[in-house]
Every structure is written in structure tokens, then in C-alpha cells.
Amino acid sequence: MDGLMEFRTEDGARVVVEGVESETGARLVSRGGSPVLAARTFEGALDGVRAAAESALRVFRDGSLKPDTVELEFGVKLSAETGAVIAKGAAEGHLVVKLSWSPERSRPVPEPPQSASADSGRS
């Protein structure tokens, strides 16, 4: 059964998310149908995902590929106790990486200079 979790942002705003419970292990429990209060701030819950994104960006930007843009997509599950977890997708972990390069802008090719001696012999 899915339950609601309440996170607070660092500036005090309330963020309520739907949590997915596993078949085994701990269960989200609340009284009166109100959301379970998370142990961390919303930003704190996302710290691990941010660190993973920074690390992945470093790998793709600093390599020999040198893409113009890097897009990362993480599936994220939120837990009241552990914060954000990179969600399991079709594979064991969910991470989509898109790299793109812009075509080089076409630069005009300069024409070779014409020599004066070639022109003077044609008159």
C-alpha cells in the first residue's frame, strides 16, 4: 500500500509526496490518515541524488567525448527514513544519459589570393 510522506524544505515549506512501500521490511505508519513526517528536509533527502548527478556529469564532461550538452535522468523514490533513492527501473538502477554535440558552424573558406603576374599576362 502506498502512503504519504511529508517533507519540509529548508525554508519551511511543506512538500507531501506519495511513498511506495516495499512488500517486505518497514511500513509507513501514520495516525488519522495524515502524512508520515520525514526525518530529513526535502533538500537533505535529495543530497545523495545531487551527489550522484554531479559525479555522473563529471564523468561525461571531463572525458574525451566533450559533448556540448549532457542530460541525466534519474528515477527517484523518496523514503521518510532514508531520503531519496535512485529508483529501480527496467534494469537494476534507473539512469538515462543523453549526450549531444552541435554541428560546427560552417566557416567561410577564404579564397586564395590572386597573383598580379597571372592577371598581367592575360591582357
Side-chain angles (χ1 to χ4, degrees):
M1 174 172 172
D2 295 345
L4 298 178
M5 294 177 292
E6 179 180 323
F7 290 86
R8 291 286 178 173
T9 64
E10 290 175 355
D11 62 359
R14 181 177 179 231
V15 178
V16 178
V17 297
E18 184 177 26
V20 179
E21 296 178 3
S22 64
E23 295 297 319
T24 61
R27 303 264 185 226
L28 295 175
V29 178
S30 64
R31 294 185 182 162
S34 61
V36 174
L37 296 176
R40 306 167 93 181
T41 63
F42 188 66
E43 292 87 350
L46 294 173
D47 279 343
V49 175
R50 179 178 39 218
E54 288 171 349
S55 179
L57 283 173
R58 210 171 20 258
V59 167
F60 293 110
R61 284 185 177 159
D62 295 345
S64 61
L65 296 175
K66 305 283 188 223
D68 292 326
T69 60
V70 177
E71 291 181 37
L72 299 175
E73 178 183 314
F74 290 89
V76 177
K77 289 184 183 179
L78 293 169
S79 164
E81 291 80 27
T82 59
V85 179
I86 296 175
K88 182 176 178 180
E92 283 302 305
H94 181 77
L95 171 63
V96 175
V97 178
K98 294 179 183 179
L99 306 176
S100 62
W101 293 264
S102 299
E104 288 187 10
R105 294 183 177 163
S106 58
R107 298 178 190 161
V109 178
E111 293 184 27
Q114 296 180 357
S115 65
S117 61
D119 291 335
S120 62
R122 293 186 181 168
S123 335

